[in-house]
Amino acid sequence: MARIAVIGAGMGAMAAAARLATAGHRVTVYERGGTYGGSVGRRTRDGFAFDTGPGLLHLPAVWRDVFVKTGKEPLERSVTLTQVDPASRHLFADGTSVLLPNASRAGVVSALDAALGAGAGERWGEFLGRARQTWERVRRPLLEEPLPADPAALASQDPYPAVRRGLLRRRAATLAEVGGRELRDPRLAALLDAYAASYGLDPHTAPAAAAVLPYMEQTFGSWYVAGGMRALAEALYERCLARRVEFAFGTGVVATDVAGGRACGLVLADGTAVPADAVVSGAPLPALSRDGALPGREAGGWPRCQSQVRTGRVTVLLALRGERSPNAVHRTVVHGADGPGEWRALAAGRLPERPTVTVLRPDDPLVRPDGAHEALTLTATVPAEPASGAWTADTGGEFADRMVEAARAAVPDLPDRVLFREVRTPEDTRADTGSAVVPPPALPGVSGTLLPAANAGPVEGLYAVGGWAHPGGGLAHAGMSGALVAGLVVEGAGFRGSR
């Protein structure tokens, strides 16, 4: 039985901890904050409850596997999952609206044809076919296996297939080029852009292989966890406790002990030395490496950390008077009016004047005091560090005003119904997780700038898990990273993923 020290109590870290404890190891999690879950947080006030991180679950099979493998109990015994249908409503800048059904390619094609005109659905369907080919090529090496020691093939090649135009096949270099060349409708291009933005990616720099993101969602569906996504974090924490994982909250880590080229323990903020046979870091790697809590360049350096992405999120939590409309949609995306200008602004560190805003309106009695009220959440992708300076309460409040104005397209009476609102900026994300940047999933191509750090660290016995480690950010990917790290610890460097 090995002693495993885990830094951070995020979702990926807890997924790894539960698996390692189930395998017979003694696991202790050291969390600098006062709670677990990382970005999967909750804010409660006056009978309202809000998710402060992700609001929907994709690829639930990842978390079903975690719960089955750590207790032979289905995930649904711990949380209540409901498919969100329709999956989303999209309101475009020209006033066009479309409802997209959940996990139905044929339904999506029909809906797009009806809303955007004949041929729109067919073009989107053909695009999803190419996205499926991309998914089949990258699923195992990019999601289900540890990052190879030499990731050059993943870094240099974008597997999105070239499209024939006349006698030639032309390969799109970016996701924006896919939208322009292949979808040939600014509204379809905006739909594609919104999927990229929801993961913090600029479609004008994201590789064409980012097509797997809408493919995953439209193929495997969108799910809501009753009570909000925090209920999943609570269930995972309880599973860890049931497997005898120990937690030390309010306990920061300032250094990793290395002896003989191997990680052998931690040094806590109060000076306590904690011996360990292996160390798993679930906290943001750039911050830990910068602060000296993890071995850095002197140990060979931790590999890449998604250097291309510098975006975060502004989240506006709104408590509303008045019952939820019976015709309300759980998720509405209100597309910004600036089109490509929005992404140019983000790339330059500027806040867009008319941002793309996602409106979440769960029909859930667990998140509101009674039927005469409604809990609503707005999110927008923003620069993690604006060019004009750090995020402040004034900056966040002014941008929240723009978000609320945009959201009126989905909820016309929104301003008149607000009881209170809370605004969360990237600085709040930094306070909760250690980083203002929200890392995206791993993607191939673009010289490896969207490949995160390998799960195996620069010294033996040191591992990384969570959004800053392979296979990158996103709730499903965090669960995958937990499985990969547990496999590497238990089976050694030869572990190649479960089959």
Side-chain angles (χ1 to χ4, degrees):
M1 179 174 66
R3 298 165 299 178
I4 312 294
V6 179
I7 306 173
M11 297 297 284
M14 288 198 294
R19 288 178 180 271
L20 288 166
T22 302
H25 298 299
R26 191 171 72 195
V27 183
T28 303
V29 177
Y30 300 92
E31 166 59 49
R32 68 179 179 88
T35 188
Y36 50 85
S39 63
V40 183
R42 173 184 285 159
R43 181 75 176 96
T44 60
R45 176 177 166 184
D46 299 340
F48 293 89
F50 306 91
D51 282 322
T52 59
L56 292 173
L57 183 64
H58 306 296
L59 287 175
V62 172
W63 293 101
R64 290 187 177 114
D65 185 68
V66 172
F67 277 75
V68 168
K69 296 291 177 58
T70 61
K72 300 187 183 303
E73 295 178 357
L75 172 63
E76 284 80 356
R77 190 171 295 179
S78 298
V79 298
T80 300
L81 290 178
T82 305
Q83 272 197 307
V84 176
D85 203 4
S88 59
R89 178 189 183 198
H90 290 261
L91 299 177
F92 299 103
D94 67 353
T96 308
S97 173
V98 61
L99 286 172
L100 299 182
N102 198 343
S104 171
R105 177 171 171 175
V108 168
V109 168
S110 296
L112 290 172
D113 271 339
L116 308 186
E122 179 181 1
R123 291 195 298 277
W124 185 263
E126 290 173 348
F127 157 72
L128 284 183
R130 292 185 288 276
R132 177 181 179 178
Q133 295 178 46
T134 309
W135 168 258
E136 291 172 344
R137 293 169 182 172
V138 305
R139 177 175 180 173
R140 182 148 191 87
L142 204 62
L143 300 178
E144 299 175 350
E145 296 179 347
L147 198 66
D150 181 6
L154 287 173
S156 62
Q157 298 179 7
D158 187 330
Y160 185 81
V163 176
R164 182 178 294 279
R165 288 288 179 264
L167 298 177
L168 302 176
R169 286 190 177 274
R170 297 185 62 190
R171 186 179 299 277
T174 68
L175 198 65
E177 288 184 11
V178 172
R181 292 182 188 176
E182 301 172 22
L183 298 180
R184 305 192 306 281
D185 183 312
R187 295 164 297 183
L188 289 179
L191 175 62
L192 184 57
D193 288 351
Y195 281 104
S198 68
Y199 287 94
L201 295 167
D202 179 350
H204 293 84
T205 57
V212 298
L213 302 177
Y215 172 80
M216 285 191 298
E217 180 173 324
Q218 293 193 5
T219 300
F220 304 110
S222 300
W223 301 75
Y224 177 70
V225 179
M229 200 61 67
R230 181 65 179 180
L232 178 62
E234 292 171 350
L236 184 58
Y237 174 66
E238 293 296 331
R239 178 54 54 87
C240 284
L241 294 180
R243 300 282 79 81
R244 300 183 184 278
V245 175
E246 296 182 0
F247 287 81
F249 293 108
T251 306
V253 173
V254 296
T256 302
D257 276 338
V258 178
R262 181 180 180 86
C264 59
L266 301 175
V267 178
L268 306 182
D270 64 1
T272 301
V274 177
D277 299 299
V279 172
V280 176
S281 173
L285 295 179
L288 289 178
S289 296
R290 179 194 65 227
D291 297 341
L294 290 177
R297 296 189 182 279
E298 75 282 356
W302 209 297
R304 63 197 58 78
C305 291
Q306 293 162 321
S307 57
Q308 190 191 78
V309 179
R310 304 299 303 169
T311 56
R313 295 192 181 103
V314 168
T315 303
V316 184
L317 313 177
L318 295 168
L320 306 183
R321 62 173 63 87
E323 65 180 355
R324 181 181 186 271
S325 168
N327 298 320
V329 176
H330 189 116
R331 175 176 53 170
T332 299
V333 180
V334 181
H335 293 262
D338 296 336
E342 181 174 356
W343 315 119
R344 286 195 292 270
L346 290 173
R350 302 193 308 272
L351 300 178
E353 288 297 322
R354 300 182 66 181
T356 295
V357 175
T358 298
V359 183
L360 294 182
R361 305 181 69 180
D363 185 11
D364 183 355
L366 298 176
V367 301
R368 58 183 183 245
D370 52 51
H373 296 86
E374 181 179 4
L376 187 146
T377 303
L378 312 179
T379 59
T381 298
V382 296
E385 297 176 353
S388 58
W391 282 96
T392 65
D394 287 342
T395 305
E398 291 171 3
F399 190 70
D401 290 341
R402 300 182 205 174
M403 294 172 62
V404 170
E405 179 60 28
R408 290 183 64 188
V411 191
D413 60 352
L414 179 58
D416 298 331
R417 296 177 57 197
V418 175
L419 287 170
F420 66 81
R421 84 175 189 185
E422 295 189 13
V423 180
R424 295 179 55 83
T425 73
E427 286 304 309
D428 295 296
T429 305
R430 189 196 307 275
D432 289 345
T433 69
S435 174
V437 176
V438 179
L443 290 171
V446 288
S447 301
T449 55
L450 290 175
L451 292 178
N455 301 113
V459 298
E460 189 177 353
L462 180 61
Y463 305 89
V465 71
W468 289 97
H470 182 69
L475 198 50
H477 294 73
M480 295 177 195
S481 72
L484 291 174
V485 166
L488 287 167
V489 173
V490 173
E491 299 186 26
F495 174 70
R496 300 311 305 159
S498 58
R499 297 184 182 273

